[in-house]
Amino acid sequence: MPTIHLENLVKRYGEVEVLHGIELEMADNEFTVLVGPSGCGKSTTLRMIAGLEDVSDGEIYIGGKPVSHLEPKERDLAMVFQDYALYPHMNVAKNMSFALRLQKRPQAEIDKKVRDVAATLGLSEYLDRKPGELSGGQRQRVAMGRALTRDAGTFLFDEPLSNLDAKLRGQMRAELALMSQRVQKNMIYVTHDQIEAMTLADRIVVMHGGYIQQQGTPEELFKRPVNKFVAGFLGMPPMNFLEGEIEERADAVFIKGEGFDLRLDGERAATAKAHRAREVTLGVRPSDLTYDANVAADRSLTLDVMVSEYVGAQSVLLCQCGSAKVMVELNSETPVALGQTLTFAVNANGVHLFDRQSEAAL
């Protein structure tokens, strides 16, 4: 499988530059997910790799070979689109074999390839049906099957699950993960859904405003975000942010803000102490807040409960801390009444600090 390298990739529409010098390398047999909010440039990047958008500046290398001047059919890629793009008058077998028939491959080879891919995707019993007779999830699998029959070196996915309902998206995520293990190909996947990114990716590339904010494994990005945007984008419920100031008292370092006064320990205390600017943003994930009525005041947040969302084993509380909103993940068996004021211990290892002005992690 080829390595894909994007070198200083720029995209302009007239005078407007939407991608600003993207540098990215995707390794052999890697499931790479480009994730970010709408308009961040992720789909444009994917379409440039596919050859569906012209490159304004920079170069795309596949297997060490520059390809930005090549037609899409010459790049050894297969693409799955958001809207399936199936031929309604053809049955599943003919949809899946369309590219092979255009290449005039032998019929025996086509039939074998379609049967093998259909078995992989659980479509064997649907080969004679037309797309109109299939569910949304089945049609999406046919679209994936059409790409897989081409046996390309790299597979591109442009938000393939966004048209499906929540339950089916969960099922299809699992099928995609299994397919990735079986197929052993390079896969580049675009989504705005951070759950898809976290569950599918070997490596996540977070984009915002036409720039790559951070790339790495899901665990790296979740535990060590480089800035406030990445920290707030990955994780559900999202990270809480509270504005405060660094204060040194005797031998201790504190973050003090409206409604809280939190003592820092170890490495975080040393980082805060070394930070020249005093104004920072404190980040704490909802899962790093634990109900504990007996915890020390300088190790906790005291919050007013406004909303409690029951989601089965967990409840998500929306609370007030000064003028800021704070979310907490809590065991749903814990009795909580709206309007209560509760104390939550802060996991010292789960504290994140960001510069107030640059929003970079300290």
Side-chain angles (χ1 to χ4, degrees):
M1 283 74 71
T3 297
I4 299 175
H5 177 61
L6 311 183
E7 184 180 85
N8 195 31
L9 206 61
V10 174
K11 179 62 181 177
R12 301 184 190 92
Y13 293 101
E15 298 298 317
V16 179
E17 187 170 292
V18 296
L19 284 181
H20 316 288
I22 298 296
E23 289 279 349
L24 181 63
E25 186 163 308
M26 289 157 274
D28 292 351
N29 190 28
E30 183 177 63
F31 199 126
T32 303
V33 176
L34 308 182
V35 66
S38 297
C40 70
K42 57 189 184 297
S43 289
T44 300
T45 302
L46 191 79
R47 292 174 65 83
M48 290 169 75
I49 295 171
L52 303 177
E53 294 276 2
D54 294 332
V55 174
S56 301
D57 205 352
E59 186 57 81
I60 299 168
Y61 295 92
I62 299 180
K65 176 183 176 183
V67 300
S68 61
H69 63 287
L70 299 180
E71 293 296 316
K73 64 182 180 180
E74 300 174 304
R75 300 190 185 195
D76 192 27
L77 305 170
M79 190 163 181
V80 179
F81 296 93
Q82 179 178 343
D83 60 359
Y84 315 143
L86 301 176
Y87 295 105
H89 63 287
M90 295 182 186
N91 63 22
V92 168
K94 288 186 176 179
N95 265 287
M96 290 173 61
S97 64
F98 185 75
L100 300 180
R101 288 186 285 117
L102 283 181
Q103 296 170 4
K104 301 188 183 304
R105 300 279 188 90
Q107 189 61 46
E109 178 187 338
I110 292 174
D111 291 343
K112 182 180 186 305
K113 191 67 177 177
V114 168
R115 286 196 304 270
D116 290 346
V117 172
T120 298
L121 297 176
L123 292 170
S124 298
E125 60 184 287
Y126 304 109
L127 290 176
D128 294 326
R129 296 191 190 182
K130 292 184 177 178
E133 302 173 285
L134 303 176
S135 69
Q138 290 164 344
R139 287 197 293 270
Q140 189 57 273
R141 276 184 278 168
V142 175
M144 293 178 188
R146 182 177 54 192
L148 289 173
T149 56
R150 288 191 55 194
D151 200 27
T154 301
F155 295 94
L156 310 178
F157 298 89
D158 189 8
E159 302 201 43
L161 308 186
S162 60
N163 289 334
L164 307 180
D165 61 62
K167 182 177 180 182
L168 192 52
R169 275 203 306 272
Q171 295 173 354
M172 289 301 296
R173 280 201 306 269
E175 290 188 22
L176 266 171
L178 291 171
M179 185 183 78
S180 173
Q181 295 172 20
R182 290 191 296 259
V183 174
Q184 298 286 295
K185 299 279 188 178
N186 295 338
M187 296 191 179
I188 307 173
Y189 187 101
V190 161
T191 182
H192 63 273
D193 186 332
Q194 52 96 14
I195 298 294
E196 287 180 24
M198 295 290 286
T199 54
L200 287 172
D202 295 320
R203 184 155 56 103
I204 296 175
V205 179
V206 180
M207 299 184 67
H208 182 50
Y211 294 95
I212 292 177
Q213 300 292 313
Q214 188 176 359
Q215 57 178 299
T217 66
E219 184 177 7
E220 286 171 348
L221 269 62
F222 186 80
K223 291 184 175 180
R224 294 181 293 279
V226 297
N227 58 35
K228 184 181 173 183
F229 175 80
V230 175
F233 191 81
L234 294 180
M236 188 58 65
M239 183 180 285
N240 300 300
F241 297 110
L242 298 169
E243 294 188 350
E245 294 185 357
I246 300 169
E247 294 186 359
E248 297 178 50
R249 305 172 201 160
D251 295 329
V253 180
F254 291 78
I255 301 292
K256 182 176 177 60
E258 186 181 0
F260 71 95
D261 192 5
L262 189 68
R263 179 172 179 157
L264 300 177
D265 295 307
E267 183 181 341
R268 286 163 179 79
T271 299
K273 192 172 182 178
H275 189 54
R276 292 180 180 177
R278 299 284 91 183
E279 294 184 340
V280 295
T281 299
L282 170 70
V284 181
R285 295 197 183 278
S287 56
D288 285 320
L289 295 170
T290 307
Y291 174 59
D292 186 347
N294 300 314
V295 68
D298 61 359
R299 308 284 185 177
S300 65
L301 296 179
T302 300
L303 308 174
D304 299 322
V305 180
M306 301 167 60
V307 176
S308 177
E309 297 179 338
Y310 177 82
V311 289
Q314 298 290 111
S315 288
V316 178
L317 307 182
L318 178 62
C319 305
Q320 191 85 27
C321 181
S323 60
K325 302 292 189 297
V326 174
M327 301 185 79
V328 180
E329 278 188 309
L330 191 67
N331 187 308
S332 58
E333 298 299 319
T334 305
V336 174
L338 301 185
Q340 273 188 297
T341 299
L342 301 178
T343 301
F344 295 90
V346 178
N347 175 12
N349 294 323
V351 168
H352 299 263
L353 299 175
F354 305 94
D355 182 271
R356 185 91 62 86
Q357 300 303 317
S358 70
E359 298 191 347
L362 302 188

